[in-house]
Amino acid sequence: MKSVFSHQRYAAFFITALASLVFIAGAAFHSAWLLVPALIAGALFVLGVHDLRQHRHSILRNYPVVGHLRFLMESFRPEIRQYMIESDTDKIPFSREDRALVYQRAKGDEDKRPFGTTENVYGSGYAWLTHSATPVTIADTDFRVLVGGPACRQPYEMSLYNISAMSFGALSGNAILALNTGARKGGFAHDTGEGSISRYHRQGGGDLVYQVASGYFGCRDKEGGFSPERFAELAADPQIKMIEIKLSQGAKPGHGGMLPASKISPEIAEARGIPMGLDCISPAAHRTFSTPVGLMEFVQELRVLSGGKPVGFKLCIGHRREFMSMVKAMLKTGIVPDFIVVDGAEGGTGAAPVEFANRVGMPMLEGLTFVHNTLRGAGIRDQVRIGAAGKIVSAFDIARAIALGADWCNAARGFMFAIGCIQAQSCHTNRCPVGIATQDALRQRAIDVGDKSDRVARFHRNTMHALGEIAGAAGLTHPSNFMPYHFMFRQQDNEFLDGNEAYPYLPDGFLVSGEEIAELGDWYSRWDRASAESFAPPEIPHGPFVRARRAETVPA
């Protein structure tokens, strides 16, 4: 008996063998219809034999046939969790409440909710807007900001909310077409991502931010380097409104990528300017420049080649000293980018190794505040516009980012929700259930471009309307007037800070004035170590960095 119980894990395997024999016998002596269950049982028996002989999965060798239930359950675990277990506020990575808000605004459905908030308003991390006793009604909610510094000859009126970088290749042709057509209908911009400009971008006709990444797709020579001639030809297109150099992205900062040859279609090869039949490599770093001064010179080169269109760069903050090196290069060369897009580590539609997705890069709020204050400290904040990206789907998200230093916001996944994304998290498998993140021609047919583009435009319009409402509630006439003090941030369960305390604006010019504020000693230490000539540190610090000169206290 003990021996029988010790081998009961093979019961399903033995049952399939016995059942196939019984049904075959029944078919021979009773009814031919019994051949159907005989074939099913026989197929399961053959599967069990395969399970016993294979060497890849131990669970199948010990539990033939029935062991497949484990893999079946695991395959739709995300759907079970999303639809049956998680609460409305579990942010994994976007809460059901956030997704529902996008769906409702994209469809034009009622986006109000009854019975109060589901947020834990007394929990750590909760933030809220301080409203005014004299609210304002804002009639025109087509909010825009002019992007383009003194050296820019073709400035662009940027909406305060735009589509962030997502490449054709990562997204299907129908998804790109729906997004770009929606951007045209709504009058806002669409970042191409590093995959360059496809026929679907051109067909949509919406305003484009052309991203120049380390692979130089769309403007590369035969060796994969940057081609000034090809760039100038492409950048002359009036559909391209701005040029963005990608240094890093929130999904996987400091990490390159590869598109296997098997996934490169003729359309992808056409857009990127790459050959068929070869893996497409996106290096981790640019080859055109390797120093902060080199980056600024590249900015100037693209500005000239594009005929004076706004040129900037996008990055997720890593070593803070390296960004300060870039700012020092701006001061040294006199070349100041028209804009900088700060991508948060929480952002990213691109598939990434878990370590990069979870643990590499600075989150958006801290990165945005650091970039904003470094530019203020260098005295050039008024020359540079700042875009922010990283889980921004609601008007509150936009308002908070603007208060902490952003001039406009970008969203990738928010607009994916607008065209039907269900957060299946299968973007890297080419089996997206709604046809967005796939190159499968049959799957992407699920996207009705006309309907989805209307949803993109409607989501943008309704979000801008909501932004106008909360700006008015704060007593403001335009969202650009949001400041940190308009928000409160709960640090602990029984403690909260004014936005000016949690994310303060540091004094203008404090890094270059020659006078020092004792409380900002860490900023001066990092600034001293930054170099316009190199991203490398002058020394490797071991423990707290000790400044070479004594700080002098100056009243703030």
Side-chain angles (χ1 to χ4, degrees), residues 446-530:
I447 299 176
D448 183 294
V449 174
D451 175 65
K452 300 305 184 185
S453 62
D454 286 342
R455 292 190 184 193
V456 169
R458 195 180 296 119
F459 167 59
H460 176 271
R461 182 176 64 251
N462 288 336
T463 302
M464 290 296 94
H465 177 74
L467 180 61
E469 287 187 324
I470 66 170
L476 306 177
T477 58
H478 195 279
S480 62
N481 296 325
F482 275 118
M483 296 292 286
Y485 68 81
H486 288 113
F487 293 83
M488 305 295 287
F489 298 88
R490 191 178 293 284
Q491 304 296 301
Q492 301 176 20
D493 289 354
N494 60 349
E495 177 184 338
F496 59 85
L497 296 177
D498 180 286
N500 280 339
E501 300 174 277
Y503 299 98
Y505 281 20
L506 299 185
D508 190 56
F510 76 94
L511 290 172
V512 295
S513 66
E515 299 177 336
E516 297 185 3
I517 303 170
E519 292 80 4
L520 303 180
D522 183 61
W523 284 81
Y524 296 116
S525 296
R526 190 166 285 108
W527 181 256
D528 287 348
R529 296 178 61 235

Side-chain angles (χ1 to χ4, degrees), residues 3 11 20 33 78 118 128 146 159 191 239 279 305 341 354 401 431 438 448 468 474-475 512 516 532 539 550:
S3 177
S20 62
W33 284 105
T118 58
W128 67 94
L146 185 66
S159 171
D191 194 312
Q239 191 178 354
D279 293 338
L305 291 171
V341 175
V354 172
R431 296 191 297 272
T438 179
D448 183 294
V512 295
E516 297 185 3
E539 61 183 273
R550 179 174 59 85

Side-chain angles (χ1 to χ4, degrees), residues 113-167:
R113 64 176 304 159
F115 227 67
T117 181
T118 58
E119 297 278 354
N120 179 8
V121 299
Y122 296 104
S124 176
Y126 180 74
W128 67 94
L129 172 76
T130 59
H131 63 281
S132 172
T134 55
V136 175
T137 299
I138 301 176
D140 183 5
T141 58
D142 182 24
F143 303 122
R144 297 187 176 273
V145 59
L146 185 66
V147 182
C152 174
R153 301 205 310 271
Q154 300 185 52
Y156 177 59
E157 286 278 356
M158 191 83 161
S159 171
L160 294 196
Y161 196 41
N162 305 277
I163 303 173
S164 194
M166 294 180 284
S167 299

Side-chain angles (χ1 to χ4, degrees), residues 166-172 259 268 272 349-350 427 436-439:
M166 294 180 284
S167 299
F168 170 59
L171 267 57
S172 68
L259 186 64
I268 293 175
R272 299 193 178 201
T349 53
C427 308
I436 296 175
T438 179
Q439 294 304 306

